[in-house]
Amino acid sequence: MATPVSSDPVAASGARTGRLPRSARRRQLLTAAQEVFVANGYHAAAMDDIADRAGVSKPVLYQHFPGKLDLYLALIDQHTEALVNHVTQALAGTTDNKIRVHLATKAYFDFVDGEGEAFRLVFESDLRNEPAVRERVERASQLCMEAIADTIGHDTGVSRSRAELLAVGLTGASEIAARYWLNANRSVPKEEAVGLLSTLLWRGISDFPLEREAENSAQR
Amino acid sequence: MATPVSSDPVAASGARTGRLPRSARRRQLLTAAQEVFVANGYHAAAMDDIADRAGVSKPVLYQHFPGKLDLYLALIDQHTEALVNHVTQALAGTTDNKIRVHLATKAYFDFVDGEGEAFRLVFESDLRNEPAVRERVERASQLCMEAIADTIGHDTGVSRSRAELLAVGLTGASEIAARYWLNANRSVPKEEAVGLLSTLLWRGISDFPLEREAENSAQR
DNA sequence: TAGTCTTGCTACCCGGCGGTAAGTGCGGAA
DNA sequence: TTCCGCACTTACCGCCGGGTAGCAAGACTA
């Protein structure tokens, strides 16, 4: 037993890598953890699984992360930040709203289509009941939505809460459609899928009727 | 200890109800389970919690349901069916597509706004990794989406997979917007929220450009 | 080659929770 | 009044999995 090298029963990706400097090991543990969390979700993922995947024993994991939740949060932070960056940069790159819609939609598709299906950590986490996770995920959606609501509020003159509702509708359409598109094995070429969606959304939001019939109740 | 009646430490809703006939007890257990599952999610909900909530001991639960998962699935089935019914009836009630969009959007808002926030079991389940759950939830979304895709495919002439992508965009917008609306404490009157969303979506989908630029690749 | 620092391992603990075995009392039929 | 059976209880088991104590072994310094 425990023959030093060769013919390891080590898992797929990381695969026994001898001793590593701390920072490298940490990165490797994070990618191993991401793979396991994405594949199994938080609850079904055991720390042993993650350690095995990295070709390492469990205590090593605890030398880098104080607990399972912290490990998970590190990944969540990483990817929520990526999503928010994608979306806000899409909006900041131009002032042409049609292009903005296109690029923002594309940002969602790119995020969903990114490395290792990491989007599942954000959009399909099975730990949203944990306040720390909930907060982070909601903050990310909120930031994306607000960036869009700013423009909508400015250009259509609807109240803030109404602009937010419209904005969240747009992000929701992109998110759900992108996830569906991936689940359906990219049944439509990505570029065209983005085109279809952004056409749909741009037709919907451009020249949106300025306040009118919304005046029947005294809501701000 | 164990003073027979009065001053029970029994939980909020069901509250100790003496002996009950099987069917009544079963219904009561289901509502207790729903409350606990909605409040805590599947994983954080303990069978003891559910039993307590119903003012009953754990084995009683197991006399009605073979296991935790079965109990959960019974609830999932109930509510996915309700959602699909709402949506399909909304579409079947008329042939005016504008009204269809309005009623379908309203169906999502009604579902999210329904009794005891049961929608969380469907839209925010922390057990989607369980195949039985995944299957049911995806089947529900699929049925809603297909009902809409039928009309889109028929009226716009885009291919099936493209119609599905558009349809899922519409459902996604409604779902996410409805959930946001509820989370934001109904910051806009429901009727108006539905109006805003359905206006957005109807503007997007009505007279959607018939096939044209989609002809560049040989996708069906 | 001794000393030590860092990296990693084996082996264990223990708490929570799904699930169960065995027992208690009440109400109705004879 | 005895007996049966149903609804319900207390008290327990066993596993799984997060987290830890304490030891081994390679690399750098001298």
Side-chain angles (χ1 to χ4, degrees):
Chain A
M1 316 301 171
T3 42
V5 195
S6 81
S7 115
D8 313 282
V10 180
S13 76
R16 189 146 320 240
T17 47
R19 303 172 128 233
L20 283 184
R22 260 189 89 79
S23 66
R25 179 64 81 196
R26 184 189 157 95
R27 272 195 304 278
Q28 188 220 2
L29 290 176
L30 278 171
T31 70
Q34 176 172 319
E35 290 167 5
V36 176
F37 281 137
V38 165
N40 302 85
Y42 181 85
H43 292 99
M47 291 297 265
D48 295 278
D49 297 343
I50 296 171
D52 284 358
R53 180 72 156 211
V56 130
S57 72
K58 201 163 44 162
V60 172
L61 217 41
Y62 284 92
Q63 286 166 0
H64 290 264
F65 304 93
K68 188 182 184 185
L69 180 59
D70 307 88
L71 177 52
Y72 193 71
L73 289 178
L75 292 167
I76 292 278
D77 283 336
Q78 183 181 319
H79 293 108
T80 51
E81 190 186 332
L83 171 63
V84 173
N85 284 345
H86 280 157
V87 171
T88 54
Q89 283 170 20
L91 296 174
T94 176
T95 58
D96 180 333
N97 284 334
K98 181 171 183 180
I99 296 179
R100 277 185 171 148
V101 168
H102 183 89
L103 291 180
T105 304
K106 179 163 159 31
Y108 278 90
F109 275 76
D110 286 343
F111 182 65
V112 163
D113 197 27
E115 288 281 306
E117 311 204 333
F119 78 96
R120 298 194 190 277
L121 298 178
V122 179
F123 288 151
E124 298 175 6
S125 173
D126 57 343
L127 200 66
R128 261 173 314 198
N129 288 304
E130 180 63 36
V133 173
R134 183 169 221 100
E135 182 210 320
R136 283 163 168 82
V137 171
E138 285 187 353
R139 177 180 163 76
S141 317
Q142 189 77 12
L143 287 174
C144 294
M145 179 275 280
E146 282 177 352
I148 296 171
D150 288 345
T151 302
I152 293 179
H154 182 268
D155 291 3
T156 71
V158 300
S159 72
R160 180 66 188 182
S161 48
R162 289 169 182 77
E164 291 188 348
L165 206 55
L166 292 170
V168 87
L170 299 181
T171 64
S174 296
E175 175 196 322
I176 302 289
R179 285 165 59 191
Y180 178 80
W181 168 78
L182 192 72
N183 256 25
N185 298 312
R186 306 179 172 77
S187 55
V188 175
K190 181 171 170 180
E191 202 180 332
E192 196 194 332
V194 172
L196 277 170
L197 243 287
S198 70
T199 299
L200 176 73
L201 299 180
W202 174 244
R203 286 169 49 84
I205 197 62
S206 62
D207 302 316
F208 194 87
L210 299 184
E211 295 257 276
R212 191 68 39 86
E213 82 284 59
E215 295 289 303
N216 47 12
S217 107
Q219 288 279 338
R220 216 202 146 232
Chain B
M1 312 300 174
T3 41
V5 195
S6 82
S7 116
D8 313 283
V10 180
S13 78
R16 189 142 322 238
T17 48
R19 304 172 131 229
L20 282 184
R22 259 189 89 78
S23 67
R25 180 62 81 196
R26 184 190 157 93
R27 273 194 303 277
Q28 188 221 3
L29 290 175
L30 279 171
T31 70
Q34 177 171 318
E35 291 168 4
V36 176
F37 281 137
V38 165
N40 301 58
Y42 180 85
H43 291 99
M47 290 298 264
D48 295 278
D49 298 343
I50 296 171
D52 284 357
R53 180 73 156 208
V56 126
S57 72
K58 202 165 38 162
V60 171
L61 218 43
Y62 283 92
Q63 286 165 1
H64 288 263
F65 303 94
K68 188 183 183 184
L69 179 59
D70 306 270
L71 177 53
Y72 193 71
L73 289 178
L75 292 168
I76 292 277
D77 283 336
Q78 183 180 318
H79 293 108
T80 51
E81 190 186 331
L83 171 62
V84 173
N85 284 345
H86 280 158
V87 171
T88 54
Q89 283 170 22
L91 296 175
T94 176
T95 59
D96 180 332
N97 284 335
K98 181 172 183 179
I99 296 179
R100 277 185 171 145
V101 168
H102 183 89
L103 291 181
T105 303
K106 179 165 157 34
Y108 277 89
F109 275 77
D110 286 343
F111 182 66
V112 163
D113 197 27
E115 288 281 307
E117 310 204 336
F119 78 95
R120 297 194 190 278
L121 298 178
V122 179
F123 289 151
E124 298 175 7
S125 174
D126 58 344
L127 200 64
R128 261 173 313 195
N129 287 304
E130 180 62 35
V133 173
R134 185 170 218 100
E135 182 209 320
R136 284 163 167 82
V137 171
E138 285 186 354
R139 178 179 162 77
S141 317
Q142 189 77 13
L143 287 173
C144 294
M145 179 274 279
E146 283 178 353
I148 296 171
D150 289 344
T151 301
I152 293 179
H154 181 268
D155 291 3
T156 71
V158 299
S159 72
R160 180 65 187 184
S161 48
R162 290 169 182 78
E164 290 188 350
L165 206 54
L166 292 170
V168 88
L170 299 182
T171 64
S174 296
E175 176 197 321
I176 301 290
R179 285 164 60 190
Y180 178 80
W181 168 78
L182 192 74
N183 255 27
N185 298 313
R186 305 180 174 78
S187 55
V188 173
K190 181 172 171 181
E191 202 180 332
E192 197 194 332
V194 172
L196 277 170
L197 243 288
S198 70
T199 299
L200 176 73
L201 299 181
W202 173 245
R203 286 169 48 84
I205 197 62
S206 61
D207 302 317
F208 194 87
L210 299 185
E211 294 260 273
R212 193 68 38 87
E213 82 285 60
E215 295 290 302
N216 46 14
S217 105
Q219 288 278 337
R220 217 217 139 215

